[in-house]
Amino acid sequence: MIASTLILLVVVGATPFAIARPAALEDGRALEIKNMFEDWAAKHGKSYSSDWEKARRLMIFSDTLAYIEKHNAQPNTTFTLGLNKFSDLTNAEFRAMHVGKFKRPRYQDRLPAEDEDVDVSSLPTSLDWRQKGAVTPIKDQGDCGSCWAFSAIASIESAHFLATKELVSLSEQQLMDCDTVDAGCDGGLMETAFKFVVKNGGVTTEAAYPYTGSVGSCNANKAKNKVAEITGFKVVTEDSADALMKAVSKTPVTVSICGSDENFQNYKSGILSGKCDDSLDHGVLLIGYGTEGGMPYWIIKNSWGTSWGEDGFMKIERKDGDGMCGMNGDSSYPTTS
């Protein structure tokens, strides 16, 4: 029998701690939510070290579900939130594990952008580099702040395809182990990753140097076969949607964004819009743009697996200035000639 109010008493050593269940577990939905949690945990291969930890994760899951349902019940929202593999994490835990642990201050330490004529009138009204075969499948950075490596490698994969017509999955782990300027799971910058690849004379394949989700010693034997080379990179003019649109019309572009926003964390489908922090703490790949229901949007490729978003991808509102979630504030792309 489930009581109307449940209190869990947990003993750590000899000290009891009372943990009150959230409101969602105090009503008739308690059993339904518990069953949802069990199904969700099985789907995502979740296991917990103790009954106490499992109960704590159930409470967080319940709070996440309430947040999702409240948003999805709003009229005229342009996007839907949903459960994913992060649904048993608080936003603070999520920030600590899945975005970069150090951030570039906006408008500081930026290389100058090349002056370009930014006339987008001749560009197509929509673009999706996936349709042109230039984007590798979604990858998963795991519990590691290595988004910088995934964003940089994804852009090099696309640049290599455009130069050779061969789409090859390249090695994030080589950057993790061998790029000593960036900080592995503690974060990094796509531009310094590009500098490493240029200096190194290229990067090897994911098959030759597979991802482990942690930093190891640089393995020269695994890294010796340099499959993809770049000659440098270009920086996109900041806070200009037109400049970013022109850049992505040529090649997929690395973008810094606020990935720690709670709506970003729980995004499922549609066009992310509305309020969002512009703290740049996550790296993604911009792969296209379009318009839906009168709202212009960008298409981004993430590195959180396929259970997040639209099978790992996202549509996010396209607007000028610093952009949605700081989208227009820090972007660059590799060059091959």
Side-chain angles (χ1 to χ4, degrees):
M1 176 180 294
I2 299 175
S4 59
T5 301
L6 284 173
I7 300 294
L8 296 180
L9 293 178
V10 181
V11 177
V12 179
T15 307
F17 291 86
I19 303 176
R21 297 259 190 181
L25 289 179
E26 295 178 358
D27 58 27
R29 291 196 65 199
L31 182 58
E32 177 189 0
I33 293 172
K34 182 178 182 299
N35 289 337
M36 289 177 64
F37 175 74
E38 295 289 353
D39 291 342
W40 170 89
K43 176 182 177 180
H44 293 283
K46 298 280 185 172
S47 60
Y48 302 103
S49 59
S50 65
D51 289 343
W52 181 90
E53 179 63 17
K54 184 175 182 179
R56 178 172 176 267
R57 294 300 161 187
L58 171 59
M59 293 167 62
I60 297 169
F61 177 89
S62 177
D63 287 343
T64 301
L65 180 63
Y67 181 87
I68 289 169
E69 291 179 338
K70 181 179 180 180
H71 167 82
N72 291 346
Q74 295 176 6
N76 304 317
T77 181
T78 62
F79 63 99
T80 301
L81 301 181
L83 298 172
N84 56 43
K85 66 178 181 177
F86 307 128
S87 297
D88 65 343
L89 300 177
T90 66
N91 184 248
E93 290 173 325
F94 172 78
R95 288 170 183 253
M97 297 167 65
H98 297 284
V99 299
K101 293 183 177 65
F102 71 86
K103 307 172 179 63
R104 181 210 296 277
R106 286 179 60 79
Y107 314 117
Q108 296 181 32
D109 304 324
R110 290 278 285 145
L111 295 174
E114 292 192 0
D115 291 330
E116 293 182 347
D117 176 20
V118 188
D119 179 10
V120 299
S121 61
S122 63
L123 297 181
T125 57
S126 64
L127 171 70
D128 186 340
W129 281 109
R130 291 174 295 184
Q131 297 174 357
K132 300 176 184 292
V135 181
T136 58
I138 291 293
K139 302 181 184 182
D140 192 341
Q141 68 190 66
D143 297 339
C144 170
S146 54
C147 55
W148 61 275
F150 280 83
S151 176
I153 286 294
S155 66
I156 297 172
E157 290 169 342
S158 295
H160 180 71
F161 170 82
L162 292 175
T164 66
K165 302 306 178 186
E166 295 182 359
L167 186 64
V168 181
S169 182
L170 301 174
S171 175
E172 294 83 11
Q173 193 63 41
Q174 185 178 358
L175 295 187
M176 295 282 287
D177 292 352
C178 306
D179 174 1
T180 58
V181 176
D182 291 300
C185 288
D186 288 331
L189 300 174
M190 286 76 85
E191 291 163 9
T192 48
F194 292 149
K195 290 179 182 179
F196 166 81
V197 175
V198 172
K199 184 177 180 180
N200 190 60
V203 64
T204 192
T205 65
E206 182 180 21
Y209 205 145
Y211 185 66
T212 66
S214 61
V215 178
S217 299
C218 186
N219 190 316
N221 186 54
K222 289 182 179 180
K224 65 182 179 180
N225 185 22
K226 299 168 184 177
V227 172
E229 300 178 4
I230 61 174
T231 57
F233 63 92
K234 292 185 177 181
V235 174
V236 180
T237 301
E238 62 193 30
D239 293 352
S240 170
D242 282 355
L244 194 52
M245 188 172 176
K246 185 169 184 179
V248 77
S249 72
K250 295 182 288 189
T251 183
V253 177
T254 69
V255 171
S256 297
I257 199 167
C258 181
S260 57
D261 182 84
E262 199 161 3
N263 286 339
F264 201 105
Q265 174 184 346
N266 296 295
Y267 169 80
K268 181 61 180 175
S269 62
I271 304 173
L272 185 70
S273 63
K275 295 181 179 180
C276 184
D277 190 6
D278 65 357
S279 175
L280 304 181
D281 55 18
H282 185 53
V284 296
L285 185 70
L286 174 62
I287 62 169
Y289 58 84
T291 302
E292 185 176 295
M295 177 174 285
Y297 63 82
W298 301 113
I299 308 169
I300 63 174
K301 177 189 181 185
N302 205 350
S303 52
W304 292 343
T306 57
S307 79
W308 176 90
E310 297 184 342
D311 297 321
F313 297 90
M314 167 188 267
K315 293 195 289 288
I316 184 168
E317 184 179 6
R318 171 164 48 99
K319 56 184 180 179
D320 214 18
D322 60 1
M324 182 69 183
C325 299
M327 182 80 186
N328 303 340
D330 178 25
S331 51
S332 57
Y333 57 92
T335 56
T336 56
S337 61

